[in-house]
Amino acid sequence: MSPVNVLMDVDTGVDDALAIMFAVAHPEVNLLGISCVAGNAALPQVVLNTLKILDAAGAGDIPVAAGAVRPLIAPARDASHVHGADGLGGIVLPETNRRPVGQGAVGMLRDRLVASSGPVTIIALAPQTNLALLLRTHPEVAAKVERILSMGGSASVGNATPTAEFNVWHDPEAAAIVLDSGIPTFMYGLDVFNHVAVAREQTEALQASSRRAQKVAGALLAHRIGMGPGREPVYTGLIGDAGAVCALVDPDALRVERLPVFVELAGASRGQTVVDRRQFPGEDRMHGLHSAVGLTDVALEVDAQRYVDFYLATIAQLD
Ligand code: RIB
Ligand code: CA
């Protein structure tokens, strides 16, 4: 397949970092720019982490822009208990000479979309605040967006709450705006996110490498983003957000259904992506409720080992 024009929106974070490294490494990803948003960590830390990870991946001159410092409505709630206080699990990376572009995320996203000669895929790996602001500020750019492929939501279990996944829970209103935008959407949610994990031995082999990018990827994979029943850190090896970029290049490893999806904005399940998997409409539809819900391609199953092998083979191309 010819290279796909991609803009990434991140809250770098351990697994956003793994995703950025994959995007830089894969020849079929034409990375036009990266926008940053508060999520796993505060915005300045997310921007710094993103710049440093581009260095670690040996990336070219990729524009990085700072976006929203908090969700549209809710207060910011970081995930430092998962990603560490610095968002990268305490991994020490060299200082960077890279700097974010002067304009904000909305301006950078808009300019890159307008300037692109062809359609662009937006890969959303974070709370979707920047994307909601983009669509409300420059609705005309939607015509240049081929689809929004997001790590977000779940058709089953939550993580931030029993029913809500962190990115959507962090800014449910933003996720609802994106789902209602009319742009084709693809949901790489926890139903698949939770299963793509690198074996400990493979992670240890990366950590033992003498090559910079391999060592950094190994350190990221080794960071214990999982917690046991006593909240003790446990090894997971999850590639996390990076699976969403794998899905861009190798969608056949997924079982996908096109389903009605809406975001719950109130009550105990606020932030839940309600995925309608019924075979027949129910009373809600009979009484005119939820009838305007748009359809989303939802990844429900994944060939996990295929994505693990794909991920490792791709980042092996880095130094
Ligand atoms: O729920 C997982 C998501 O929340 C990932 O994108 C992770 O980086 C955090 O942003
Ligand atoms: Ca993320």
Side-chain angles (χ1 to χ4, degrees), residues 10-12 15-16 40 125-126 167 241:
V10 300
D11 59 337
T12 313
D15 58 330
D16 304 73
N40 287 324
L125 304 177
N167 287 333
D241 286 334

